[in-house]
Amino acid sequence: MSAEATGQAVDPALHLELSAFLFREARLLDEGRFEDWLALLAEDIAYEMPLTLTRERSESERVHDPRMGYFSENIHSLRTRVARLRTDYAWAEDPPTRTRHLLSNLEARELEDGRYEVRSAFVVYASRGNQTGWDQFVGGRRDTIERVEEGLLLTRRLLLLDQAMLGANSISIFL
Amino acid sequence: MSVESTHDYEALVRPEEGEVSRRIFADPEVHAEELERIFARSWLFVAHASEIPSAGDYVTRLSGTDPVVVTRTEDDQIRVFHNSCRHRGMQVCRVDRGNTAHFRCPYHGWTYKNDGRLIGVPAHKYAYGELDRSRLGLLEPPHVRVLHGLVFVNWDPDAPSLEDYLGDMLWYLEILFARTEQGIEVVGSPQRSLTAMNWKLGADNFSGDGYHVAMTHRHALELELFGGGTMLGHTIVCEGGHTVRFQNFPPQIPLPHHLALPDEVMESMRRTLDPDQLDAIDAITVMHGNVFPNFSFVDAIFTTTGDPDIPPVSFQNIRLWQPASADETELWSWVTMAKETPDWWRDASLETFVRSHGIAGTFDQDDIEVWTNITAANRGPIARRQTFNYEIGLRNPRPDPDWIGPGTAYAADYNEANQRAFYSTWRGYMQSRTGVKA
């Protein structure tokens, strides 16, 4: 999963446009505007976070489990997760976790099929209840974005978490 | 095994009256005694044979709080060792999994073959003159048993055999783990998180808590992912504190039979299980339970996770509630399935698990929210003087002598007989400094 992306680095204007799209997406999540967030996802989105394993350096290529993950989502399961949050019984998220999605180190390329790939580093701080500590989710992200008539849509999100033993009790937010 | 108890467990744990002290979920001293008296003496699950299919494969695991490495040797034996050098205690293996013929300690270089033998000691002659390497192999539990691929260890030399320990529970474990000719296998690696809860809350829930579903997981009823209506089922207590719960789907809400298992699995299952075992899972939504102390399992059908692309499938999930401290548990969670399972069903089953019962699953999030908040509420001295209530089914037990399987069965979906059996067994271990059978 560490293969270099092929394709040309995008020009500065496009880089800014892609960054603005991802920053807005992050803000929608932090503001709890999940329906608006869903509108930024393509119908065929693949939203995935494989397990991270502790392995020897010689096996660095196999740090991410090819089968098991924390997320293995499509548009339907993401909509179900959002619908769940709108019931009165999503106990883990009511009161809601306060999140701050920080996105950095953006590298954008145009893929051969005309879509864009943006690689980035993410830090998500999650504050729950009155705890003074944070749940922190830190890792690398590979996003694939396509241009449609109405604008940009996210078609793939691959989240590569740095932590192997999850330090949070569970994951009840979107990353 | 000689920690002198400062606690009167007879007074703290009274499941016969439906009362269990909250102190046992919070007190660090109780936790330390649990490690000695329960985890150092019970049969503990460490791995499934399918996780290390080839010679040289290994995974690192915990037995209680002690690190172990589970290996497959060149002569195809599964071995389990304390993951700690016999010289100064350094962990000889520091990764989750891999393949190697030997483990070399980074501290002074003692080297062990993957069958535990000490085969290399740097400057052997100069440093030691004579050293009997044969008595310094990696420490091995006195009992390791692989049963239907499940690898269990027991550190108590006087422990009963695993078969005797499981007793009637074996019949139920076969339904899950020996249902087909080729057996089951683990898919991928286990999910893991360090969760701010006492380990017993997970075991308690999986032992047979049908009562929480309609409230903790109410979102699923609201979204019509889940049928409501009258709950029918059985809770079963086996000797040794092992328990199972079956929930039937209401007859007016028909679901696919036999957990919607695919034809390839069903055909093999009909040749493998006895008819009563097949019957037990004919019309159920879920079968779950707990092998004392911390090995839980669930096999559940999910008609939908809101995804029209996924047909109704079930998933099998093994849980370990690893007792990290009085208020921390390492949650380990594996998915298993029959080797005969076709690819399309594998994918659907795995996705269904991840979305609902994984650590980010819509069901588990809410369970964990409850267990962590219970643990937080147990911190104070007032809480620790109180008890939890386990009175469901105490005065209306509804025993079912006609139940098709072994153990003591109750025809009730809401029943806390299973939890009472768990705590009664727990008390037996905690009161006795040697050999236990509650």
Side-chain angles (χ1 to χ4, degrees):
Chain A
M1 291 194 195
S2 64
E4 280 301 306
T6 55
Q8 294 293 310
V10 302
D11 66 46
L14 186 52
H15 185 98
L16 274 179
E17 186 189 7
L18 292 166
S19 315
F21 172 79
L22 290 172
F23 292 155
R24 174 160 181 269
E25 187 234 320
R27 179 169 55 79
L28 292 177
L29 287 175
D30 291 340
E31 292 176 353
R33 292 167 59 186
F34 301 114
E35 289 79 3
D36 294 337
W37 175 72
L38 285 173
L40 301 182
L41 312 183
E43 276 297 303
D44 62 348
I45 186 166
Y47 178 102
E48 291 162 344
M49 185 159 80
L51 296 193
T52 299
L53 303 171
T54 301
R55 305 205 66 149
E56 288 181 342
R57 183 172 297 280
S58 61
E59 300 202 276
S60 304
E61 296 296 310
R62 300 164 70 191
V63 157
H64 299 289
D65 194 298
R67 292 295 282 151
M68 178 63 99
Y70 295 110
F71 287 116
S72 179
E73 310 296 315
N74 62 16
I75 193 69
H76 304 295
S77 67
L78 290 171
R79 283 179 183 144
T80 300
R81 284 177 183 273
V82 169
R84 178 189 114 82
L85 294 172
R86 298 309 182 202
T87 71
D88 291 334
Y89 305 101
W91 306 109
E93 280 300 316
D94 198 357
T97 302
R98 293 166 296 272
T99 65
R100 197 62 58 188
H101 287 69
L102 304 179
L103 202 56
S104 176
N105 306 16
L106 270 63
E107 294 179 84
R109 290 168 187 273
E110 183 166 351
L111 302 176
E112 280 169 9
D113 61 8
R115 295 187 300 171
Y116 309 111
E117 185 194 69
V118 183
R119 296 186 179 205
S120 59
F122 69 89
V123 177
V124 177
Y125 287 95
S127 178
R128 296 173 59 81
N130 292 327
Q131 293 166 20
T132 51
W134 305 86
D135 284 348
Q136 294 176 34
F137 300 92
V138 180
R141 219 164 76 172
R142 310 234 177 118
D143 293 327
T144 308
I145 295 167
E146 69 179 357
R147 188 181 299 283
V148 294
E149 222 169 275
E150 307 79 45
L152 299 174
L153 291 178
L154 188 65
T155 63
R156 178 155 197 242
R157 167 153 298 161
L158 177 63
L159 296 146
L160 301 174
L161 205 61
D162 289 338
Q163 232 169 14
M165 172 74 66
L166 201 66
N169 291 325
S170 70
I171 306 173
S172 55
I173 60 172
F174 298 106
L175 297 174
Chain B
M1 265 167 240
S2 56
V3 175
E4 206 52 57
S5 180
T6 50
H7 298 285
D8 179 359
Y9 291 112
E10 196 74 37
L12 290 173
V13 180
R14 291 173 286 118
E16 299 76 8
E17 297 159 45
E19 299 217 10
V20 175
S21 169
R22 295 173 67 164
R23 177 172 294 278
I24 73 163
F25 299 88
D27 190 323
E29 283 176 20
V30 172
H31 180 80
E33 285 183 18
E34 284 179 325
L35 295 180
E36 293 273 8
R37 298 186 172 201
I38 295 176
F39 288 90
R41 296 201 304 212
S42 305
W43 281 95
L44 303 176
F45 174 79
V46 290
H48 189 271
S50 63
E51 295 183 272
I52 44 171
S54 308
D57 284 352
Y58 65 87
V59 291
T60 53
R61 295 290 148 84
L62 291 169
S63 135
T65 47
D66 288 300
V68 295
V69 55
V70 186
T71 72
R72 190 183 287 268
T73 61
E74 312 311 311
D75 57 352
D76 210 31
Q77 298 297 305
I78 289 176
R79 304 284 291 270
V80 183
F81 304 102
H82 190 214
N83 182 8
S84 185
C85 182
R86 293 294 301 278
H87 174 235
R88 200 65 85 249
M90 171 65 187
Q91 295 199 18
V92 296
C93 182
R94 293 166 297 134
V95 297
D96 292 330
R97 62 192 312 155
N99 183 288
T100 189
H102 64 270
F103 301 99
R104 184 162 58 201
C105 177
Y107 202 5
H108 304 92
W110 283 28
T111 301
Y112 304 87
K113 207 169 156 34
N114 65 3
D115 62 6
R117 278 183 295 150
L118 177 61
I119 55 169
V121 175
H124 178 192
K125 289 273 181 247
Y126 174 75
Y128 294 95
E130 291 295 324
L131 180 71
D132 180 6
R133 290 188 299 194
S134 69
R135 64 181 174 84
L136 290 168
L138 289 173
L139 188 67
E140 192 167 18
H143 304 287
V144 177
R145 179 84 176 94
V146 184
L147 187 64
H148 304 312
L150 305 166
V151 185
F152 281 88
V153 300
N154 194 316
W155 291 92
D156 180 359
D158 302 325
S161 72
L162 179 60
E163 283 82 349
D164 285 350
Y165 179 87
L166 293 172
D168 287 341
M169 189 64 171
L170 196 49
W171 192 86
Y172 297 99
L173 292 181
E174 285 168 0
I175 296 176
L176 289 121
F177 303 117
R179 63 170 50 153
T180 62
E181 287 142 315
Q182 294 177 34
I184 62 134
E185 63 189 352
V186 167
V187 180
S189 291
Q191 294 190 353
R192 294 173 295 171
S193 68
L194 182 64
T195 306
M197 60 183 269
N198 184 274
W199 69 274
K200 291 188 290 303
L201 295 169
D204 176 317
N205 178 282
F206 270 69
S207 76
D209 191 332
Y211 191 43
H212 82 293
V213 178
M215 185 49 68
T216 306
H217 306 303
R218 195 173 191 88
H219 82 269
L221 293 167
E222 294 280 306
L223 299 177
E224 294 176 353
L225 300 177
F226 222 50
T230 316
M231 297 299 173
L232 305 167
H234 280 87
T235 53
I236 295 122
V237 173
C238 299
E239 247 185 85
H242 319 303
T243 61
V244 196
R245 167 178 173 255
F246 291 90
Q247 186 193 57
N248 294 96
F249 51 77
Q252 72 276 15
I253 308 177
L255 286 170
H257 286 248
H258 291 111
L259 297 160
L261 289 164
D263 294 342
E264 294 87 337
V265 173
M266 277 308 300
E267 283 162 22
S268 181
M269 205 159 82
R270 287 202 175 89
R271 291 191 292 267
T272 310
L273 294 181
D274 78 42
D276 287 342
Q277 287 174 310
L278 272 178
D279 261 11
I281 55 166
D282 176 19
I284 63 165
T285 58
V286 65
M287 166 187 182
H288 64 83
N290 188 65
V291 172
F292 190 86
N294 67 334
F295 172 91
S296 289
F297 55 83
V298 54
D299 201 332
I301 182 166
F302 265 65
T303 47
T304 175
T305 49
D307 185 346
D309 301 338
I310 291 195
V313 293
S314 50
F315 61 83
Q316 270 192 344
N317 173 213
I318 292 175
R319 300 283 179 103
L320 275 188
W321 315 100
Q322 300 283 25
S325 70
D327 49 19
E328 286 173 313
T329 299
E330 275 189 25
L331 166 53
W332 290 60
S333 191
W334 291 255
V335 165
T336 59
M337 50 188 84
K339 285 184 183 163
E340 291 88 343
T341 308
D343 286 345
W344 69 271
W345 205 93
R346 281 174 183 262
D347 293 344
S349 178
L350 189 58
E351 279 177 2
T352 301
F353 164 78
V354 167
R355 295 170 184 181
S356 62
H357 283 63
I359 284 168
T362 49
F363 279 63
D364 268 54
Q365 292 172 30
D366 292 331
D367 284 323
I368 291 169
E369 177 72 6
V370 169
W371 300 329
T372 54
N373 279 269
I374 292 170
T375 301
N378 277 342
R379 289 208 181 99
I382 304 301
R384 291 180 192 192
R385 285 180 217 148
Q386 310 304 311
T387 57
F388 289 147
N389 180 287
Y390 290 93
E391 286 184 58
I392 300 181
L394 200 56
R395 287 171 294 279
N396 52 338
R398 302 190 187 95
D400 183 359
D402 299 327
W403 169 246
I404 54 179
T408 305
Y410 303 93
D413 196 46
Y414 295 169
N415 189 7
E416 287 169 343
N418 289 14
Q419 289 96 323
R420 288 191 290 271
F422 174 85
Y423 292 109
S424 166
T425 303
W426 185 92
R427 181 183 57 197
Y429 274 87
M430 295 296 277
Q431 284 178 313
S432 126
R433 291 170 56 181
T434 53
V436 178
K437 201 84 173 164

